[in-house]
Amino acid sequence: MSGLECKNISKSYKDNKVLDNVSLNIEQGKIYGLIGRNGVGKTTLMSIMTGQNPADSGEVTYNGQPVWENAEALSHICFSRELGMNNQKVKEYLRLASIYYKNWDKDMAEELVKRFGIDKKKKVCNLSKGMLSMLTVIIGLASKAEITILDEPAAGLDVIVREEFYKLIIDEQQENGRTFIISTHIIEEAANVFEEVIILKDKCVYLKENTVELLDKCRYVSGLEEDVKNAVDGCKIINEEHIGRSYAVTVMQDGDGKIKAVQHVTVQPVSLQNLFIAICGQSNM
């Protein structure tokens, strides 16, 4: 199977199991959003996917070839994240990146360094939070890797630079067919960028779906409890709330499970951020 594939990945740190039998296929040419609460295992999964961390069991492959200790497979993958303790100067860090990534685009790197105003003479560890994020973005984009994974790239960036970042990602995906996996907590403004969303919960993949299709079948339904339950009978209930005399549920319509027209019941669309809160705000759901 083409692309990046995780097969039954499990990982523990001492007695703490972080990932449990995770299987995931990343198709080429898409932009994925990887979201989940702090500590759910996002960074661990990304580091295993890129051969930086061994899994306890399972395997990751790129175009059918294992990525672990496989320089050829890894040459197609970039995992860019903040390295605040790095004592190298920015110019040296970029030089080493140009050696490591076989498709490195020096002109793009130089242009982005100028555009973002990064001082190449500074040590990486002395950069501000925003500049560290910008450097993360530059490495990811200029790597020209077929699969590029970015861990919290928008953290520390102001809203104007974040918009520019999202545009750069979309342009790269459309022009060069690259695959991006972006892990972020800034969900709402990134939702329109994600072609597919992956939600990690309870040590595994809770869902992986096309973002538009997912939001199209999810709704927030509110009213009196008996009326709401009649309206959503047969739907998958993701979360429920009691607010005074009112009752509200976030539901997913699927197959024959459709919301029924019931008087005095309000049905509203759900944003990706609110869906994430509904799914991950309840520890046992």
Side-chain angles (χ1 to χ4, degrees):
M1 184 178 290
S2 64
L4 192 65
E5 186 176 12
C6 299
K7 305 172 185 176
N8 308 119
I9 297 297
S10 292
K11 180 70 177 181
S12 297
Y13 295 104
K14 295 185 178 180
D15 296 328
N16 179 31
K17 178 160 276 191
V18 179
L19 300 172
D20 186 13
N21 202 36
V22 171
S23 292
L24 185 64
N25 182 46
I26 301 298
E27 300 172 44
Q28 294 185 186
K30 291 185 177 182
I31 300 175
Y32 292 88
L34 177 63
I35 59 179
R37 297 188 69 172
N38 287 337
V40 77
K42 299 186 300 297
T43 299
T44 296
L45 178 59
M46 290 184 289
S47 65
I48 291 173
M49 292 168 76
T50 54
Q52 298 185 18
N53 192 357
D56 294 338
S57 60
E59 185 181 45
V60 180
T61 59
Y62 174 75
N63 287 350
Q65 298 298 313
V67 303
W68 181 249
E69 295 186 336
N70 184 342
E72 169 55 28
L74 290 172
S75 69
H76 299 273
I77 304 168
C78 171
F79 180 26
S80 187
R81 55 178 170 171
E82 286 185 12
L83 297 173
M85 298 304 293
N86 192 309
N87 285 316
Q88 295 171 324
K89 290 184 177 180
V90 171
K91 63 179 180 180
E92 178 63 13
Y93 188 57
L94 292 171
R95 187 187 71 81
L96 292 175
S98 72
I99 296 171
Y100 186 80
Y101 296 110
K102 66 178 185 179
N103 296 322
W104 181 259
D105 189 330
K106 181 179 178 181
D107 291 339
M108 171 182 271
E110 291 294 332
E111 192 275 328
L112 291 176
V113 164
K114 291 178 182 177
R115 186 188 303 188
F116 290 147
I118 297 177
D119 184 353
K120 292 201 295 182
K121 295 179 181 179
K122 271 193 172 184
K123 290 185 176 181
V124 173
C125 60
N126 291 333
L127 294 176
S128 67
K129 176 71 172 176
M131 290 297 177
L132 277 172
S133 294
M134 291 174 188
L135 185 58
T136 298
V137 170
I138 291 170
I139 296 293
L141 288 169
S143 73
K144 291 292 183 176
E146 287 92 330
I147 294 182
T148 302
I149 302 175
L150 298 163
D151 190 8
E152 294 293 345
L157 301 181
D158 65 43
V159 65
I160 295 174
V161 178
R162 290 201 302 269
E163 284 298 311
E164 188 171 4
F165 159 66
Y166 297 133
K167 185 179 183 302
L168 287 166
I169 292 291
I170 293 171
D171 288 346
E172 275 296 298
Q173 186 268 335
Q174 292 180 345
E175 292 175 11
N176 300 307
R178 294 172 66 183
T179 299
F180 289 92
I181 304 172
I182 302 171
S183 174
T184 183
H185 285 98
I186 307 174
I187 298 171
E188 198 59 34
E189 66 181 33
N192 292 332
V193 179
F194 300 152
E195 185 174 351
E196 290 199 14
V197 60
I198 302 162
I199 296 181
L200 288 187
K201 181 184 178 185
D202 296 334
K203 308 177 184 67
C204 61
V205 176
Y206 178 88
L207 64 77
K208 172 183 175 287
E209 294 196 34
N210 176 279
T211 307
V212 173
E213 293 175 0
L214 173 65
L215 296 181
D216 188 53
K217 63 186 180 183
C218 292
R219 291 292 183 271
Y220 183 78
V221 186
S222 59
L224 295 177
E225 185 167 352
E226 183 177 352
D227 295 335
V228 170
K229 287 186 174 180
N230 287 335
V232 302
D233 184 41
C235 298
K236 178 182 179 180
I237 297 178
I238 297 172
N239 185 39
E240 58 183 339
E241 307 170 61
H242 286 90
I243 309 169
R245 295 182 58 203
S246 295
Y247 174 72
V249 293
T250 302
V251 299
M252 186 181 297
Q253 305 174 89
D254 198 11
D256 295 329
K258 303 293 183 184
I259 298 171
K260 303 171 187 67
V262 175
Q263 279 191 322
H264 311 303
V265 166
T266 302
V267 180
Q268 298 173 286
V270 179
S271 68
L272 183 59
Q273 179 166 297
N274 287 337
L275 179 61
F276 169 74
I277 292 169
I279 290 171
C280 295
Q282 301 295 320
S283 60
N284 296 319
M285 294 188 70

